Amino acid sequence: MDEEERSEIMTELAVHPDNDDEARRLLGDRLREARKYLGLKQEEVATYLKIPRTALTDIENGQRRVEAIELARLAKLYRQPVGYFTGEDAAASLPIDVAHLARKAADLSEQDRSELGRFAEYLRARSRAARV
Amino acid sequence: MVAADYPSAVRAGTMAAARLHQQLDLRQQIEAAGGNVDIFAAIHALDLPLLVRPLQGLLGAYLSEPGPGVLVTTQRPMSIQRFTAAHELGHFRMQHQPSLDDESILRRMPLQAQPTGDFQEVEADAFAVEFMMPRWLVAWHAARQGWTVPDFRRPSAVYQLSLRIGASYEATCWTLARHRFIQPTQARELLQTQPREMKVALLEAYQPQDYRGDVWLLTERDAGARIDGSRNDLFVLRLEEHSGGGYLWDIDQLKESGFAVVRDDLQAIDADGVGGPVIRRVTATPPDTYRGRLAIDERRPWDPDPPLATLAVDVDLTGPEQEGLSRAERRRLLEAA
Amino acid sequence: MSDITISVDLRASFGPARNQGARPTCLAFAASDAHAALREGWAPLSCEYAFFQAQRRAGRAPNTGALLSSMLQALRKDGQPEESGWPYLSATPADVASWAPPREIGKLFGRNGASATHSIDRIIQELDQRRPVIVLTMLSRAFYQRNPQGVVNPAPGEQPEPDRRHAVVAVGHGKVDGQRAVLVRNSWGPSWGDAGYGWLTERFLGSRIYAAATLLEEVDVPADPIAA
């Protein structure tokens, strides 16, 4: 595919922030974080996407533009809606309190509590991704 | 509806597990291919989200909102991760309330443990035991290994059984009693012996850095089997060798697969006769996170003829589960790609 | 290539090397072949019969090795038919109860035997008298290696393995690269060594040989041992 075609299918990334570099950096951060949360290695994901590992590194560092197809495939792999990564999914940022679950485990550690919260957020995004 | 009394709760959990086995066709698969009940693969097959995370006080959790999901800790050996996952799967299948599960799920294993009044937990416990360690699975491995009921009083046999069904030694002892292969008092007697003692006995003169890894005793009876172990596990091969007829086990094949042979010796079967078979005993340490098919042949080393016998096992020593997706889900996602 | 000088070679008294397969029957092959070589012309004798009788006399199972004393006793008291009388079974019978000689096995040939001092000097003396010797030896790695000349010489530091015991027939002697050596007939088929024969150097055999026997005069045995 040549440069012209490539640009045609380029994603319209987040409307805000208006700085493209900043938007790419945020997108890269979210993609990296999602990958790490699932315990996937860069090599594994790069192979899945059929791109060089260095290309994935560049994406996660905000140094490479992400094609729409790539983003869709990443979102599918990470089981999250595309909007979760582009920042368009506002609900994604709301923390979930799992305190009500802790009824039996009063001595729940801070770390476990935050793992539960993070997991609940993952489940929420995942269920939204499934609906899309 | 959670059961209203203890026996009903046990029955409900057991039946739910048996139904799921049927639904997933697990018994037929295992009886054809060997190995244990792959709990993580079952969870993935049901599309129940599961992540393995570094939980400290909890062994696992089941959430139902915003959608159902299971967390399992990275901080425990594979056998405990499996049991925890099976317990959480029980919560999911029986449409339970969310549950945060700590050590108490293990403390409830003994038959005479103080029964909890929380019948939702009783159901999930019974589900986990039946799903991971059904009677037919124990019977299948026993038949395969040539163990009969008296062997279940030998800690060394029960330890090897525990590795093959992917449960802890303690859980295996109590499960044998639950399935009435042995008496509860005999389970307690078995528990007088610690797995560490059995590892030391199997390894004899070889001393690993620590005894955290399990020690698999592999024989001809494991041919064609699946070995699901963990990173630090060790193998002790104990094979009849027909060296009086010129046949030797080709231990170099182990080395070619990356294993280090740390001990290689013979044990006499017969001190008097000439030309009879001997027992070849080989202790091998696998390469880091080994996964593959291990095959060694008993052959005449000078002769290109086909081997007399082959011991082939499918080995996966990538346990325990690491942070993130389970290995089962990871492989489905990435290896299919 | 090793330099082999042959002093005595009785191979002409034997037919092609035989193959015991994976069964623990090496002593039956060594004894039967030594026995057959003493007879006029080469007609292989039934190893199955000799092994069966030796195990019966010692009360030993068919999946274990035999004892030299009971093998000599079997040859002396039970004798053995020609190979065609009870052809060799490729595998140990799964059902021990079914392991019995056929009804018609033909004429039985008996042979007296005696154990001999297990030294290389003694073996060479016997061979110089053109008598083959049944040799019981421990093995080690060198014995299993491919060597078209059949030379079996231990690697430096290679130790005898007392649990791996084997029986062969000494059929000649000579020198291998200046070292005394005994030529043996094995029962591992013609692919082993030089068409089934091997030269065991003194360095190999000296520390591994642990028993020996020679076969003596022909003796009469009862015609129908099963009825006896």
Side-chain angles (χ1 to χ4, degrees):
Chain A
M1 159 185 329
D2 65 31
E3 201 47 47
E4 207 170 342
E5 279 172 318
R6 189 188 292 269
S7 64
E8 276 177 9
I9 57 167
M10 202 62 83
T11 329
E12 280 305 315
L13 280 186
V15 195
H16 59 94
D18 8 73
N19 180 333
D20 275 3
D21 290 349
E22 179 65 6
R24 260 208 302 278
R25 199 182 55 74
L26 276 172
L27 171 65
D29 283 348
R30 291 193 190 104
L31 287 170
R32 183 192 299 106
E33 206 183 302
R35 176 179 59 76
K36 286 189 162 173
Y37 186 58
L38 300 184
L40 298 173
K41 296 194 190 75
Q42 276 190 337
E43 292 93 294
E44 293 173 323
V45 174
T47 308
Y48 176 87
L49 286 185
K50 301 184 176 71
I51 60 172
R53 192 190 61 83
T54 49
L56 185 67
T57 311
D58 289 346
I59 289 172
E60 290 185 353
N61 288 336
Q63 286 161 2
R64 178 183 178 284
R65 301 227 260 181
V66 189
E67 289 176 35
I69 292 170
E70 288 171 348
L71 185 58
R73 293 205 74 200
L74 280 170
K76 181 162 171 271
L77 178 65
Y78 298 156
R79 309 292 282 263
Q80 308 283 315
V82 170
Y84 174 84
F85 298 107
T86 56
E88 286 157 339
D89 187 348
S93 56
L94 295 177
I96 296 180
D97 182 22
V98 291
H100 65 286
L101 291 174
R103 59 190 166 99
K104 286 185 305 181
D107 55 351
L108 199 60
S109 73
E110 205 43 58
Q111 183 182 329
D112 286 5
R113 185 178 294 264
S114 90
E115 282 290 351
L116 285 164
R118 175 82 181 78
F119 186 55
E121 285 163 27
Y122 167 76
L123 291 176
R124 177 176 57 192
R126 193 179 144 123
S127 63
R128 294 158 82 90
R131 279 199 295 271
V132 180
Chain B
M1 266 302 280
V2 170
D5 60 74
Y6 186 84
S8 316
V10 170
R11 202 159 49 239
T14 305
M15 283 173 61
R19 270 197 303 275
L20 184 53
H21 275 163
Q22 230 163 22
Q23 184 189 325
L24 297 175
D25 215 9
L26 284 175
R27 180 168 179 175
Q28 209 174 349
Q29 280 173 34
I30 291 171
E31 290 183 341
N36 58 36
V37 176
D38 190 340
I39 292 157
F40 292 94
I43 287 173
H44 178 56
L46 295 172
D47 204 26
L48 171 61
L50 175 142
L51 283 181
V52 186
R53 298 292 304 169
L55 303 175
Q56 292 174 316
L58 295 177
L59 296 188
Y62 166 66
L63 301 189
S64 56
E65 289 296 329
V70 166
L71 274 183
V72 172
T73 185
T74 50
Q75 306 299 299
R76 290 307 178 99
M78 189 165 67
S79 55
I80 304 298
Q81 290 181 325
R82 285 165 45 78
F83 187 75
T84 305
H87 180 97
E88 309 306 346
L89 174 58
H91 283 315
F92 169 69
R93 284 294 283 188
M94 305 187 75
Q95 301 177 326
H96 285 166
Q97 295 299 307
S99 181
L100 307 181
D101 296 302
D102 58 19
E103 291 279 339
S104 59
I105 68 170
L106 306 179
R107 284 198 296 266
R108 294 191 297 260
M109 277 299 292
L111 291 179
Q112 285 93 351
Q114 190 64 39
T116 170
D118 186 340
F119 296 133
Q120 165 173 313
E121 289 308 310
V122 175
E123 285 186 346
D125 289 343
F127 180 96
V129 168
E130 180 64 19
F131 192 73
M132 182 162 135
M133 303 171 279
R135 197 174 203 284
W136 59 260
L137 182 66
V138 173
W140 187 87
H141 281 286
R144 180 71 182 249
Q145 297 291 331
W147 291 323
T148 54
V149 166
D151 289 306
F152 289 147
R153 296 187 204 163
R154 289 194 296 117
S156 58
V158 174
Y159 173 60
Q160 291 301 317
L161 172 68
S162 74
L163 300 182
R164 282 158 182 77
I165 63 175
S168 70
Y169 177 66
E170 185 176 0
T172 306
C173 293
W174 289 120
T175 299
L176 288 174
R178 190 175 295 265
H179 292 319
R180 298 178 201 276
F181 286 111
I182 57 172
Q183 300 293 318
T185 51
Q186 291 165 337
R188 260 190 301 275
E189 278 164 29
L190 286 170
L191 290 167
Q192 300 291 308
T193 307
Q194 296 294 316
R196 188 182 198 279
E197 297 169 50
M198 290 178 270
K199 297 175 191 177
V200 171
L202 278 169
L203 293 174
E204 297 184 85
Y206 176 68
Q207 292 182 328
Q209 281 187 333
D210 59 63
Y211 285 90
R212 277 198 293 257
D214 280 307
V215 182
W216 296 76
L217 177 61
L218 299 182
T219 71
E220 289 88 346
R221 290 183 176 276
D222 291 297
R226 262 180 50 204
I227 301 295
D228 285 301
S230 295
R231 287 171 171 77
N232 295 316
D233 289 1
L234 296 160
F235 286 165
V236 173
L237 278 68
R238 197 172 180 286
L239 301 166
E240 192 171 272
E241 186 169 69
H242 301 85
S243 52
Y247 296 90
L248 299 178
W249 286 99
D250 186 359
I251 299 308
D252 287 345
Q253 288 175 291
L254 269 181
K255 297 175 190 162
E256 284 154 19
S257 294
F259 283 70
V261 172
V262 296
R263 199 172 143 84
D264 181 358
D265 59 14
L266 290 183
Q267 198 179 312
I269 296 177
D270 168 19
D272 305 321
V274 53
V278 294
I279 298 290
R280 183 85 175 265
R281 286 182 46 112
V282 175
T283 303
T285 61
D288 200 29
T289 62
Y290 180 80
R291 185 172 168 231
R293 166 158 274 233
L294 190 65
I296 59 170
D297 297 326
E298 186 187 12
R299 59 164 62 251
R300 287 174 163 172
W302 69 90
D303 198 335
D305 277 0
L308 175 67
T310 298
L311 175 73
V313 283
D314 284 318
V315 179
D316 183 343
L317 299 181
T318 59
E321 300 291 338
Q322 303 289 294
E323 243 179 76
L325 300 173
S326 72
R327 288 171 294 158
E329 180 165 7
R330 194 180 296 247
R331 285 168 192 167
R332 290 276 168 83
L333 281 178
L334 299 172
E335 292 176 7
Chain C
M1 288 292 277
S2 301
D3 178 25
I4 301 175
T5 321
I6 302 177
S7 304
V8 168
D9 185 348
L10 306 181
R11 275 180 285 192
S13 308
F14 295 80
R18 303 176 71 185
N19 191 348
Q20 66 175 94
R23 296 180 61 198
T25 47
C26 52
L27 181 55
F29 277 84
S32 301
D33 285 3
H35 184 186
L38 293 177
R39 301 184 54 78
E40 206 54 48
W42 173 257
L45 297 170
S46 170
C47 301
E48 196 66 45
Y49 192 83
F51 185 59
F52 173 81
Q53 296 295 0
Q55 299 305 77
R56 182 184 62 83
R57 288 184 171 277
R60 294 175 69 82
N63 60 356
T64 60
L67 305 180
L68 181 58
S69 56
S70 46
M71 185 59 69
L72 293 177
Q73 214 175 24
L75 258 52
R76 181 165 59 239
K77 296 196 168 159
D78 305 304
Q80 56 187 149
E82 289 194 353
E83 174 68 13
S84 56
W86 189 6
Y88 187 61
L89 304 172
S90 58
T92 299
D95 172 22
V96 178
S98 72
W99 192 41
R103 190 167 289 272
E104 297 292 334
I105 54 172
K107 185 169 165 47
L108 292 169
F109 305 103
R111 183 66 67 163
N112 202 2
S115 44
T117 318
H118 56 273
S119 70
I120 290 181
D121 290 338
R122 175 66 190 275
I123 289 167
I124 288 173
Q125 276 173 28
E126 291 291 333
L127 289 167
D128 285 340
Q129 305 297 314
R130 306 200 66 80
R131 280 197 293 265
V133 185
I134 299 166
V135 169
L136 273 58
T137 179
M138 303 171 210
L139 300 181
S140 60
R141 200 77 210 170
F143 198 85
Y144 295 89
Q145 275 155 11
R146 205 181 84 80
N147 182 324
Q149 283 186 294
V151 174
V152 176
N153 195 37
E158 184 175 315
Q159 297 296 313
E161 298 184 53
D163 295 320
R164 296 197 208 278
R165 294 182 296 275
H166 189 45
V168 289
V169 195
V171 299
H173 70 88
K175 288 201 166 162
V176 172
D177 296 328
Q179 189 188 173
R180 288 204 299 177
V182 173
L183 176 65
V184 299
R185 172 182 167 88
N186 199 357
S187 48
W188 292 355
S191 70
W192 184 83
D194 176 8
Y197 290 84
W199 288 94
L200 308 188
T201 64
E202 185 159 15
R203 272 185 46 220
F204 183 87
L205 194 58
S207 56
R208 288 169 179 79
I209 185 170
Y210 71 94
T214 50
L215 297 183
L216 308 166
E217 77 284 0
E218 191 168 2
V219 291
D220 286 335
V221 294
D224 190 348
I226 302 300

